[in-house]
Amino acid sequence: MTEAPGEGHHAAHTWQEARQRAFDVATPIPPGPVSLAKALGRTLASDALALQDMPHYASSAMDGWAVNGSGPWILSEPGQRLAPHQASPIVTGGLIPPGAKAVLRSESGIITTDDDGLPVLALGGAAKPGEPRNGQHIRKAAEEAAEGDVLLKAGTRLNPAHIALAALAGLDHVDVLGKPLVRFLLTGSEVVERGIPQPGQVRDTFGPQLGAVVELLGGIAGEQLRVGDSYEEWMAALQDTEPEPGGPDAETEPPADVVITTGGTGRSGTDHFRRAVAELGGRLLIDGIAMRPGHPAVLAELPDGRFVVGLPGNPLAAMMALFTVGAPLLAALGHARPADVGEVPCGTTIDADPGRTRLMPFRLVYGLASPAQHTGPGMMRGLAGADGVMIVPPHGVQLGELVPAFPLPWAKPLPAPKPPEDKPRKTQARPPRKAPAGPVDWSGLDA
């Protein structure tokens, strides 16, 4: 949205200041228990101990017969105590009956008859001399772990094998570091979720995208709520973003830590973010950033402790605002550090834009960062094919100059810049360009 002449405002924060402030205002969420079904990728807050011996009973490692003493063996009913020279059928994982000393593999035994014509078990087939040895083919109780053993140390990031181990240990829940739950308030009466939009309508780009990006940034994607553009709908949505007591989501989804909204952060008559936050008793922590696209981004905190991240309504502008404000906020809440900003050599000269940091999606071409095409505030094509985002300072960038950059959450890490050549080169120093003093004119910004 373009502000009317004379209504522009001087942004309170540079890009670097906004990013740091979004990190500084949040306190890590306390640790707590989660079910094993929801523990994948979470970080243990305390050691996970075995609640029982593993395995907790002696079992057979083979299909065959549990036996006591040497053969031939008189056959007994499964599960009964075995006297010397008795055997009973058993399957892999079956409970070793009392009195059993070993397991004879099925391929090493045959059923025959004794002198009286009664069935007995004897060695045969693939049996080896001395088989079975005492204890052979028996999985002893506690051979993997004893009750109380530390199986997983605090700080472990849980993978599927860790979760299976915890289940074997008898655990139903594990204590993990806190992770922010994010709910989404998506606005716009002109938005359609499927099909070809008519003139005046637009396809929904936020619904299919924001949850996945939040997960990549370390949050938990919660429910999405869609509302129109009226102030009453805004207020009702911000007040009612928690599950109803006893409702279907009450057990599965706790109260939100962060609410992300789309649109409504400008200063027109249909932009209600600031008014709604003020009426709810909240405070603005970031109110606009000297960047483009995405300068109308807002961060607020409500009295109940929820953070509200207000993203612009244009898709690319919203993504740049989310990377700037949402990413460090989610990192702080989730016991993490903000992602490092690296450097890439710029593949072109970018002119100065005094007072504004520009976030430019780029592609790496022969090791140089080339600004992507199709990167208007309402476009997604350039970002979809990008390797990262350049943070272009207000004074611009020269061809080949290193420029700050960060990788996209779904892309590969940025390559390390090549070390300088051994032979010094004569270079002509370029005088630094300074932004003009005085307020910045925001009237030309459109995202």
Side-chain angles (χ1 to χ4, degrees):
M1 184 197 69
T2 302
E3 295 173 3
E7 295 182 0
H9 67 289
H10 186 77
H13 299 283
T14 65
W15 184 85
Q16 291 85 355
E17 290 170 346
R19 187 170 183 263
Q20 187 63 46
R21 179 158 176 75
F23 179 80
D24 291 340
V25 296
T27 301
I29 298 170
V34 298
S35 67
L36 295 187
K38 296 182 178 180
L40 183 63
R42 302 296 294 269
T43 300
L44 279 180
S46 58
D47 295 344
L49 310 182
L51 299 184
Q52 60 182 3
D53 291 343
M54 297 171 59
H56 59 285
Y57 63 91
S59 63
S60 175
M62 294 285 179
D63 292 340
W65 296 268
V67 299
N68 184 346
S70 58
W73 299 272
I74 299 171
L75 293 174
S76 174
E77 291 295 323
Q80 295 184 358
R81 173 175 287 276
L82 298 181
H85 310 295
Q86 281 189 328
S88 62
I90 196 168
V91 296
T92 301
L95 177 66
I96 297 295
K101 307 299 184 183
V103 171
L104 179 68
R105 299 178 299 162
S106 58
E107 57 266 35
S108 298
I110 58 172
I111 302 296
T112 183
T113 57
D114 61 10
D115 294 340
D116 297 324
L118 298 175
V120 295
L121 171 66
L123 292 177
K128 298 177 181 179
E131 188 177 350
R133 299 184 308 276
N134 202 30
Q136 189 172 14
H137 303 315
I138 290 180
R139 295 170 178 161
K140 297 178 181 179
E143 69 177 5
E144 186 174 6
E147 180 181 345
D149 282 356
V150 175
L151 300 179
L152 300 168
K153 290 188 173 294
T156 300
R157 191 171 186 270
L158 296 172
N159 62 33
H162 294 144
I163 293 172
L165 178 61
L168 285 173
L171 296 167
D172 296 319
H173 297 80
V174 287
D175 287 323
V176 296
L177 296 181
K179 199 173 184 179
L181 173 64
V182 181
R183 290 206 176 92
F184 304 92
L185 175 56
L186 310 180
T187 65
S189 55
E190 77 283 6
V191 176
V192 295
E193 297 183 31
R194 57 181 58 86
I196 305 297
Q198 299 297 316
Q201 296 179 331
V202 294
R203 266 298 290 265
D204 174 30
T205 59
F206 293 125
Q209 171 181 212
L210 281 180
V213 177
V214 161
E215 295 273 352
L216 291 172
L217 294 176
I220 301 172
E223 65 180 350
Q224 295 184 359
L225 178 65
R226 298 184 178 278
V227 300
D229 295 319
S230 72
Y231 178 70
E232 290 73 23
E233 289 175 287
W234 263 86
M235 279 296 296
L238 280 178
Q239 289 175 316
D240 187 26
T241 57
E242 313 301 341
E244 295 181 5
D249 295 328
E251 291 187 6
T252 58
E253 196 164 293
D257 303 293
V258 178
V259 179
I260 292 180
T261 70
T262 61
T265 61
R267 296 180 181 274
S268 72
T270 59
D271 295 327
H272 308 301
F273 185 100
R274 295 168 183 80
R275 179 185 171 191
V277 167
E279 189 164 330
L280 291 173
R283 62 190 183 113
L284 297 180
L285 304 172
I286 296 173
D287 187 7
I289 308 170
M291 60 179 273
R292 64 182 306 177
H295 82 93
V298 184
L299 174 63
E301 185 178 15
L302 299 180
D304 59 13
R306 284 179 295 159
F307 290 99
V308 187
V309 179
L311 303 180
N314 283 316
L316 183 63
M319 283 297 101
M320 297 302 103
L322 181 59
F323 296 151
T324 301
V325 175
L329 176 70
L330 296 177
L333 291 170
H335 301 256
R337 298 291 305 171
D340 292 332
V341 174
E343 289 183 324
V344 290
C346 190
T348 187
T349 296
I350 302 175
D351 291 336
D353 190 0
R356 300 164 181 162
T357 296
R358 282 162 293 170
L359 300 188
M360 292 188 174
F362 69 86
R363 298 191 66 179
L364 287 171
V365 181
Y366 300 111
L368 298 176
S370 177
Q373 297 181 354
H374 309 291
T375 55
M379 299 180 181
M380 276 279 99
R381 187 175 175 182
L383 186 65
D387 296 309
V389 177
M390 287 190 291
I391 308 162
V392 180
H395 58 72
V397 181
Q398 295 298 306
L399 173 64
E401 183 181 354
L402 291 177
V403 59
F406 58 85
L408 294 168
W410 53 85
K412 297 179 181 179
L414 298 179
K418 293 182 180 180
E421 297 180 3
D422 294 336
K423 295 181 179 180
R425 289 184 174 181
K426 294 182 180 180
T427 57
Q428 185 175 358
R430 179 170 63 91
R433 301 182 183 180
K434 296 182 179 180
V440 176
D441 179 11
W442 290 93
S443 61
L445 290 177
D446 56 357

